[in-house]
Amino acid sequence: MISTIVYIFFKIIYLIILTVVILSWIPIFDVRKEPLASLVNLYKMIMSPFRFIPPIGMIDISPLIAFIVLQIIERLLLQILIPMGL
């Protein structure tokens, strides 16, 4: 049960990151208007620990690093929770 909640939680985080990254490539969306403003605020909160990574040229690789780190954390949590029956 808890492992399912952890799994869904991380999938939602991945979806938020991916959505904001894709929307940042499309200039027609105004991210200052709702509901995108709330989504961007969640994205900024999620990405704040990864903002120390400098961009490479014009490419911000912090979302990619965030995906990798979050997947490692998710797998570790699930490897602990699933054998315990949670």
Side-chain angles (χ1 to χ4, degrees):
M1 178 68 181
I2 295 176
S3 60
T4 305
I5 294 170
V6 168
Y7 177 80
I8 292 171
F9 174 76
F10 277 97
K11 296 308 173 202
I12 291 170
I13 290 176
Y14 301 147
L15 185 62
I16 290 169
I17 293 171
L18 186 62
T19 302
V20 173
V21 167
I22 290 173
L23 289 178
S24 72
W25 298 338
I26 304 171
I28 61 170
F29 292 104
D30 186 9
V31 295
R32 295 172 298 206
K33 293 183 181 176
E34 293 297 334
L36 294 180
S38 296
L39 192 65
V40 169
N41 287 336
L42 283 171
Y43 171 80
K44 288 179 181 178
M45 187 172 52
I46 294 167
M47 293 302 297
S48 61
F50 303 100
R51 286 294 170 198
F52 67 91
I53 303 166
I56 298 177
M58 301 262 321
I59 300 172
D60 182 14
I61 62 165
S62 59
L64 179 63
I65 302 299
F67 268 112
I68 293 169
V69 170
L70 290 171
Q71 283 185 343
I72 291 170
I73 293 170
E74 177 189 13
R75 288 184 184 173
L76 289 173
L77 283 173
L78 291 176
Q79 284 179 355
I80 292 169
L81 293 172
I82 289 174
M84 292 172 53
L86 300 173

